[in-house]
Amino acid sequence: MKLVLRDITKRFGTLVANDAISLTVEPGEIHALLGENGAGKSTLMNVLYGLYQADAGEIELDGVVQHFSGPGDAIAAGIGMVHQHFMLIPVFTVAENVMLGNESTGFAGTLDVDEARQRVQKISDQFGFHVNPDALVEDLPVGVQQRVEIIKALSRDAQVLVLDEPTAVLTPQETDELMQIMRELKESGKAIVFITHKLREVREVADKITVIRLGKVVGEADPKASNAELASLMVGRPVELTVHKDPMKPGPDTLDVERLRVIDAAGRVHVDDVSFTIRAGEILAVAGVQGNGQTELTEALLGLQDRVEGSIRLHGEELVGRSVRHILDAGVGFIPEDRQTEGLVGAFTIAENLMLNRSHGEPFVRHGTLQLERLEGFAKEKLEEYDVRAPGITTLAGQLSGGNQQKVVVARELSRDVSLLVAAQPTRGVDVGSIEFIHKQIVAGRDAGMAVLVVSTELDEVVSLADRIMVLYRGRVVGIVPADTPRDVLGLMMTGERPEGAIA
Amino acid sequence: MSTPTSEASIPLHETPLAGVTTVVDKKAAVILSVMTAGLLLVVAFFPQDGDTTFRLAVPSDFAQLPRVTVPSTLTAWVLIIVCLLCAGWSIVLYRRKLQTPLWLMVIYSLGWMIGFLAWAASGGTIPVVGLLSGSLALAVPLVFGALGGVLGERSGVVNIAIDGQLLAGAFAAAMIGSALNSTWAGLVAAMVAGTLVALILGLFAITYLVDQVIVGVVLNVLVIGLTSFMFTQVLAPNAETLNSPPRFTAVVIPVLGDIPLIGPIFFRQSAVVYLLYIAVAVVTWSLYRTRWGLRVRAVGEHPTAADTVGINVIRTRYRTILIAGAVAGMGGAFYTLVSVPQFNREMTGGAGYIALAAVIFGKWDPIRATLAALLFGFASNLQGVLSVIGSPVPSEFMLMLPYVVTIFAVAGLVGRSRPPAADGIPYRKG
């Protein structure tokens, strides 16, 4: 089925998310939609899927103009979508998820689960998905959940398949498997729209590339184009894809973690037997697929977890069991993985956010009173220093773009006397320009003698920042390896395999 | 737990773990010990001479079960020892990091309750059948209310307005039942009244995204005010024509009604109670086995996911809470068409809130919620029975019993329960 989008325009208030975007996807073709976070890719696909109504423009399938008033219409017309955040119900089985909205029923609306089970089995066998129809979705690994999403679309006879940032949550190996699945689907005549911001994947699998920036199509590119060409098209200016950093000059051991174990209230062990050391002036990057204990590890370091066993020593001082305030005062800076919910107070101004971790005393509070003038001067200085693009220091943090919000967080954490910086997903959802800047700041911190722990699920970021790399899998350390370890070895380690020579 | 990794923030895809250990709660061990100590103190300081008789049959039974007479204090002590053993075992299990199993809790509860009854009803006779069938009667509105609550919350709408729906149902049943002199017309009117309250709830909670808890509470107050006003202005002056509805009388089901013990408790009831059995079965079956139920649960767990497969979230939620309102309204009819054939101000006495507790105690499952409601019914009735047979416990004190049971049940014994993920969260597109 041939898909044509013609001059699609979508506005949210004054923001033009999609500005006259046109796109043609042929059957048996993988068409990559490349663009930064916030470029308008997902909005465009939500228009295609009937979740949003376009303000102008047309959707055409096989030459027929379509009018979708909801996802139901789009599904009926043969469009299937694998959302970035899976649209699966965790407490339902695979078969129930696949049949939902498309149920075959018997007497008085009784569910025919057998039929759904067979449907899942058939598609699963056809493409070699290995999915058990009776498994609960919440028990499945992410890669398998994604296949359930694909089965869901195929079971509704989708001819146009949209994959929205499908590799964000996958291991390198799972990504390879997904690529293979995409090629098979292409062979069977499906038209595939592949949304991503990862250049490597685009070049590997796409037949055609359309690049979107700030809601507009800025060009078409050939899959043979170089990474640098694609990146500059995507960002609108030449970008440095690599981080320049001098060889490290490590000092004494700063952080010493021994046999750390973190358990949640339900008794699930998220971190088990983790030991590592970070020296002053060194970046230890934690690699691993999202959800393998990284969150709990960073939270444990900050004293945010209740059930922690083992020892965390900063300059020899034990931090396990200490309050968060004590740990911060001991010299730990923290960039949390979700700036919206943990890093900032959206309804506070930039200035107020900049003093959040020093709200209990000097220099911003004296005798219980805010020192507003001092805060103002400080905030203005940091705004300048950290290149935060905002009208002023009284702008609400919630109104900033992701990149600028993150710069505020980084500014706050680095403008104290910090000897350990814990950075969890420091550039997730941040534009390429800000990524460059934030990386430079992290490296500058390291050069100034901080011990840095960076957690990232993006292998590119891990490799470019790290002095050493620690790979976590299922809460355990697979190995601690040098920064120049080949990517495929790291990829294997992220699935739990322990290659020769890795220091555990 | 003070960490940011609360239940709600665990991502959709379950995280791969290093393993699972059991974090055993000491709640069970503590509660068992405290309850045992309480009973022990009471029996030790107020020993009762005499015997306690348990009457297991009613005179009209087909086969008469014998009466059981036991010496009060001795029985109490024997059962206290049983309780002590259970509590001790629970502590041992806790030390070994093991969960206290359900069967132990059941044995304990039975032991404690019989021991308490043996002591409390010393010198008297406990009509076991009356105690249990009365419990059922008191539980009927609670069960209807809880079913309505389960339906609403499974679709993602928290229904605090159950009490309002019960009260509105009771009022409408009394008025329409009297006016048309028909029990069935009264029952239908009760369902309509419950549905209307649900409609207002839906309008604010689903369409206008108002906080569901606030709307629910306000609706309860509104219904109290409205029915009280109508009662004084309309019903009381015309009590003959508008506030003396006919009653559903007890109907004995052939064969089933003749089974000893069970028959008189469950199968010599009014039509409303039989409707209740049907309602429990139908709600359970449709929630888990039908397309409608699958969609309701989907909408309550992950409305966006439901939307993306073409399910109309808003319509599904409306439909579900309207049905839930009708079910809860039926419970209201029980007050005026079965219990007392006339409406009184605030006659539900907060039963809707107890039903709400039953929903949570029952972990949002219709069968479990029903059992929870029955437990609350039992606690209420026990209080009544004990004050009638003249127990040493002051009856004013016993009035607390149902509420104490509620607090213990909800706070102590539920354990971890997982509500529908989108419960209480209005759905907004985009």
Side-chain angles (χ1 to χ4, degrees), chain A residues 181-252:
Chain A
I181 288 170
M182 284 168 67
R183 289 192 197 99
E184 273 173 44
L185 292 170
K186 172 175 121 174
E187 292 304 316
S188 70
K190 313 282 184 201
I192 297 177
V193 183
F194 175 36
I195 303 179
T196 187
H197 65 276
K198 293 187 182 174
L199 306 173
R200 193 187 314 275
E201 293 162 3
V202 169
R203 293 174 54 219
E204 189 174 325
V205 79
D207 298 311
K208 241 195 240 170
I209 302 172
T210 297
V211 184
I212 295 185
R213 184 171 73 235
L214 299 175
K216 284 186 190 146
V217 172
V218 289
E220 308 229 326
D222 193 87
K224 291 185 208 71
S226 74
N227 273 352
E229 283 170 310
L230 289 177
S232 61
L233 203 54
M234 192 161 97
V235 182
R237 61 179 170 82
V239 263
E240 278 185 50
L241 290 173
T242 49
V243 182
H244 285 292
K245 63 188 209 305
D246 300 323
M248 66 167 166
K249 303 182 193 73

Side-chain angles (χ1 to χ4, degrees), chain A residues 49 52 71-72 75 83 86-92 96 99-101 103 105 108-111 138 142 145 152 156 261 263-270 272 291-292 299 304-307 474 476, chain B residues 1-5 7 10-23 285 288-295 297-299 301-302 304-311 416 418 427 429-430:
Chain A
Y49 199 57
Y52 298 152
I75 294 168
H83 297 264
F86 299 152
M87 292 300 166
L88 296 173
I89 291 153
V91 296
F92 282 14
E96 285 174 330
M99 77 196 298
L100 183 66
E103 306 91 343
T105 52
T110 326
L111 290 172
E138 64 182 358
V142 179
Q145 292 190 7
K152 230 169 95 180
R156 289 163 168 78
R261 195 169 141 92
I263 303 166
D264 70 13
R268 295 179 292 195
V269 183
H270 290 277
D272 195 17
N292 276 276
E299 287 179 359
L304 292 166
Q305 287 277 350
D306 275 344
R307 293 163 197 79
R474 297 196 168 227
R476 294 201 178 89
Chain B
M1 191 173 67
S2 68
T3 67
T5 6
E7 193 81 340
I10 288 176
L12 171 61
H13 5 279
E14 196 70 17
T15 53
L17 301 164
V20 176
T21 61
T22 30
V23 173
W285 175 77
Y288 294 118
R289 291 290 160 80
T290 67
R291 166 165 63 191
W292 174 80
L294 187 75
R295 292 183 170 191
R297 286 183 288 136
V299 161
E301 288 286 345
H302 195 339
T304 323
D307 197 356
T308 56
V309 290
I311 294 171
R416 288 182 82 76
R418 183 155 77 167
Y427 182 64
K429 268 197 176 211

Side-chain angles (χ1 to χ4, degrees), chain B residues 149 152-162 201 205 211-213 215-216 321 356 364 422-425:
Chain B
E153 300 213 6
R154 273 304 180 107
S155 76
V157 183
V158 172
N159 187 1
I160 304 280
I162 297 173
L201 175 72
D211 187 288
Q212 300 177 0
V213 174
V215 182
I321 65 155
L356 197 64
W364 292 270
D423 200 7
I425 306 167

Side-chain angles (χ1 to χ4, degrees), chain B residues 27-38:
Chain B
K27 218 151 50 179
V30 169
I31 289 180
L32 261 50
S33 310
V34 168
M35 302 260 298
T36 312

Side-chain angles (χ1 to χ4, degrees), chain B residues 45-416:
Chain B
F45 283 100
F46 306 97
Q48 302 289 318
D49 298 326
D51 297 335
T52 307
T53 306
F54 292 91
R55 200 175 66 210
L56 299 177
V58 287
S60 59
D61 270 5
F62 173 69
Q64 291 283 323
L65 289 175
R67 294 167 171 236
V68 181
T69 304
V70 292
S72 306
T73 305
L74 180 67
T75 312
W77 279 114
V78 168
L79 287 161
I80 285 173
I81 291 169
V82 171
C83 289
L84 279 173
L85 288 174
C86 290
W89 184 236
S90 176
I91 293 170
V92 170
L93 287 175
Y94 171 69
R95 287 271 170 76
R96 290 192 199 153
K97 292 205 162 196
L98 288 170
Q99 220 80 265
T100 302
L102 184 65
W103 60 263
L104 193 72
M105 302 292 273
V106 171
I107 291 181
Y108 180 90
S109 312
L110 283 175
W112 196 95
M113 188 46 68
I114 298 173
F116 175 73
L117 286 177
W119 169 80
S122 174
T125 300
I126 295 192
V128 177
V129 170
L131 178 62
L132 294 180
S133 62
S135 306
L136 178 61
L138 285 177
V140 169
L142 299 181
V143 177
F144 275 117
L147 286 179
V150 166
L151 282 175
E153 300 213 6
R154 273 304 180 107
S155 76
V157 183
V158 172
N159 187 1
I160 304 280
I162 297 173
D163 202 49
Q165 292 171 337
L166 289 174
L167 194 60
F171 177 84
M175 196 166 98
I176 304 297
S178 311
L180 300 180
N181 194 26
S182 153
T183 47
W184 292 100
L187 189 66
V188 171
M191 293 169 68
V192 172
T195 312
L196 282 176
V197 176
L199 186 65
I200 305 174
L201 175 72
L203 202 63
F204 284 101
I206 301 174
T207 306
Y208 294 113
L209 314 174
V210 180
D211 187 288
Q212 300 177 0
V213 174
I214 295 176
V215 182
V217 171
V218 169
L219 271 177
N220 285 340
V221 178
L222 177 74
V223 173
I224 288 177
L226 211 58
T227 51
S228 298
F229 169 77
M230 294 287 280
F231 175 72
T232 34
Q233 294 298 314
V234 182
L235 292 199
N238 309 299
E240 282 299 304
T241 48
L242 288 178
N243 199 13
S244 44
R247 272 172 95 161
F248 280 105
T249 47
V251 180
V252 180
I253 303 229
V255 186
L256 289 176
D258 292 331
I259 303 171
L261 206 54
I262 294 174
I265 298 172
F266 293 105
F267 300 110
R268 298 184 190 176
Q269 299 279 5
S270 65
V272 179
V273 177
Y274 299 132
L275 271 177
L276 177 73
Y277 302 159
I278 297 172
V280 173
V282 169
V283 166
T284 311
W285 175 77
S286 32
L287 205 50
Y288 294 118
R289 291 290 160 80
T290 67
R291 166 165 63 191
W292 174 80
L294 187 75
R295 292 183 170 191
V296 167
R297 286 183 288 136
V299 161
E301 288 286 345
H302 195 339
T304 323
D307 197 356
T308 56
V309 290
I311 294 171
N312 188 324
V313 175
I314 304 295
R315 198 185 299 158
T316 307
R317 285 191 170 172
Y318 260 110
R319 203 166 15 186
T320 313
I321 65 155
L322 292 182
I323 293 171
V327 171
M330 247 195 275
F334 186 82
Y335 287 106
T336 45
L337 297 180
V338 181
S339 295
V340 215
Q342 73 174 57
F343 181 81
N344 267 310
R345 260 183 263 189
E346 296 179 49
M347 69 186 305
T348 57
Y353 296 100
I354 304 281
L356 197 64
V359 172
I360 298 166
F361 188 24
K363 300 188 179 184
W364 292 270
D365 173 82
I367 300 280
R368 289 202 195 130
T370 302
L371 293 176
L374 288 172
L375 174 69
F376 296 142
F378 176 75
S380 317
N381 196 42
L382 181 62
Q383 172 258 120
V385 168
L386 286 181
S387 54
V388 168
I389 61 176
S391 82
V393 189
S395 64
E396 292 81 3
F397 186 81
M398 291 298 292
L399 280 174
M400 289 194 323
L401 195 64
Y403 307 101
V404 172
V405 169
T406 308
I407 289 172
F408 267 99
V410 173
L413 301 176
V414 188
R416 288 182 82 76

Side-chain angles (χ1 to χ4, degrees), chain A residues 212 384 414 421 430 489:
Chain A
I212 295 185
E384 183 89 5
L414 290 181
L421 176 69
V430 166
V489 174

